[in-house]
Amino acid sequence: MKNALLYEGKAKQIYSTNNPDEVIIYYKDDATAGNGAKKAQFEDKGRLNSEISRMIFAQLMKDGIKTHLIKAVNEREQLCHKVDIILLEAIVRNIAAGSLVKRIGLTEGETLNPPILEFCYKNDAFNDPLINDDHAIALGLATQEELNHMRSEMLKINEFLKALWLEVGIDLVDFKIEFGRMKDGTIVLADEISPDTCRLWDSKTHEKLDKDRFRQDMGGVIEAYQEIHRRLEERSE
Ligand code: UDP
């Protein structure tokens, strides 16, 4: 069923299948930060992220969000609709952290109400720069209508995710999602939602349970991902 390797990214591999409209996504154990400047491997990270992302996508689909996910093939691989990824990182922020703190001087932990939405241009050569709608349109990445649609999906997804994480004792600080175009042009949520792509803080202790543990050399990276996985599994039981 899994055929040729079509693409290899920092954390995932994409394989063709016998159906030209479907791909298999394999989650690797590799972790990178700072645009690939820092690299490591964490045994079992791929399996944990695949399972975490699949559980979250399944919940979002129940809530009516369209995604690329078809089904899990096994704990590390997912069968997905083949999409053309839109070269934008769609970021939603509920609490100030990361680049926002460095760039405009907000204090880490400050609540952002309403949430801040950002688009970054997915381009490693330029370090994924923050851009506005006019830039996205000039670069031919998306139309104004598509940008508006993505923004409204980002807000909906944020509301669903905030509630989901809160149920398992986690504050959703911020997250990055990616969208893809299906063959008929429909825009769907693609890529992954995991501790690699979200900032997740324990609601009570404010302990960081996400990739910042790797970025900031805090240790306990895989233990944090295991904890997130455990809480989501308990919720779905
Ligand atoms: N993020 C991501 N991939 C990236 C950049 C950011 O998944 O290439 C996520 C990151 O984990 C965080 C959110 O997007 O949850 C906002 O990240 P930020 O802009 O603060 O950048 P960072 O501090 O990670 O460089």
Side-chain angles (χ1 to χ4, degrees):
M1 184 139 183
K2 192 163 95 182
N3 297 334
L5 177 66
L6 296 176
Y7 173 81
E8 176 149 13
K10 295 184 191 109
K12 294 189 286 294
Q13 292 172 330
I14 317 286
Y15 291 90
S16 65
T17 65
N18 295 337
N19 182 336
D21 298 328
E22 294 176 1
V23 292
I24 287 180
I25 303 186
Y26 173 91
Y27 283 67
K28 303 195 286 183
D29 283 342
D30 300 19
T32 64
N35 197 8
K38 187 167 166 177
K39 286 190 190 132
Q41 282 212 329
F42 294 96
E43 196 186 331
D44 215 28
K45 180 183 85 90
R47 182 186 73 84
L48 291 166
N49 272 0
S50 177
E51 287 285 289
I52 292 167
S53 192
R54 183 185 56 72
M55 284 190 264
I56 294 174
F57 272 54
Q59 181 60 53
L60 288 174
M61 287 160 85
K62 274 195 204 156
D63 293 329
I65 300 290
K66 289 183 186 161
T67 84
H68 69 163
L69 178 68
I70 300 172
K71 61 174 189 181
V73 178
N74 55 48
E75 287 187 323
R76 249 182 211 269
E77 293 176 327
Q78 297 166 8
L79 183 68
C80 294
H81 296 290
K82 187 173 184 177
V83 296
D84 284 325
I85 289 287
I86 296 174
L87 292 181
L88 290 170
E89 298 200 327
I91 294 173
V92 183
R93 301 175 181 277
N94 296 305
I95 299 175
S99 67
L100 187 68
V101 171
K102 287 186 204 137
R103 205 160 29 116
I104 66 170
L106 286 168
T107 310
E108 184 177 88
E110 246 179 271
T111 301
L112 307 167
N113 190 16
I116 295 179
L117 306 188
E118 296 174 350
F119 286 116
C120 292
Y121 176 28
K122 261 172 77 73
N123 186 324
D124 284 344
F126 292 96
N127 269 323
D128 299 342
L130 180 70
I131 59 170
N132 67 21
D133 286 23
D134 292 347
H135 298 129
I137 293 165
L139 287 163
L141 304 179
T143 64
Q144 186 66 64
E145 201 187 0
E146 288 175 330
L147 292 164
N148 295 345
H149 173 68
M150 283 188 268
R151 234 183 238 110
S152 97
E153 291 292 282
M154 286 157 78
L155 287 173
K156 269 195 250 169
I157 292 168
N158 185 43
E159 289 310 311
F160 291 135
L161 289 184
K162 265 199 306 191
L164 184 155
W165 287 118
L166 212 53
E167 271 183 53
V168 298
I170 301 274
D171 289 338
L172 177 60
V173 175
D174 58 28
F175 61 95
K176 182 268 304 181
I177 49 178
E178 296 182 17
F179 293 95
R181 282 189 199 91
M182 305 260 289
K183 214 163 67 171
D184 67 358
T186 311
I187 290 185
V188 298
L189 177 65
D191 195 50
E192 69 179 284
I193 297 180
S194 74
D196 271 5
T197 62
C198 303
R199 284 196 173 91
L200 305 167
W201 293 354
D202 184 276
S203 304
K204 287 206 185 94
T205 64
H206 302 295
E207 188 186 4
K208 294 179 179 177
L209 296 170
D210 57 61
K211 197 164 105 174
D212 270 353
R213 301 198 73 88
F214 170 59
R215 294 190 188 101
Q216 300 172 11
D217 298 313
M218 297 169 73
V221 177
I222 207 69
E223 290 79 2
Y225 286 50
Q226 281 165 348
E227 176 63 17
I228 293 292
H229 180 255
R230 189 187 64 75
R231 292 194 199 184
L232 285 180
E233 278 228 302
E234 262 179 27
R235 176 188 179 269
S236 64
E237 268 166 16

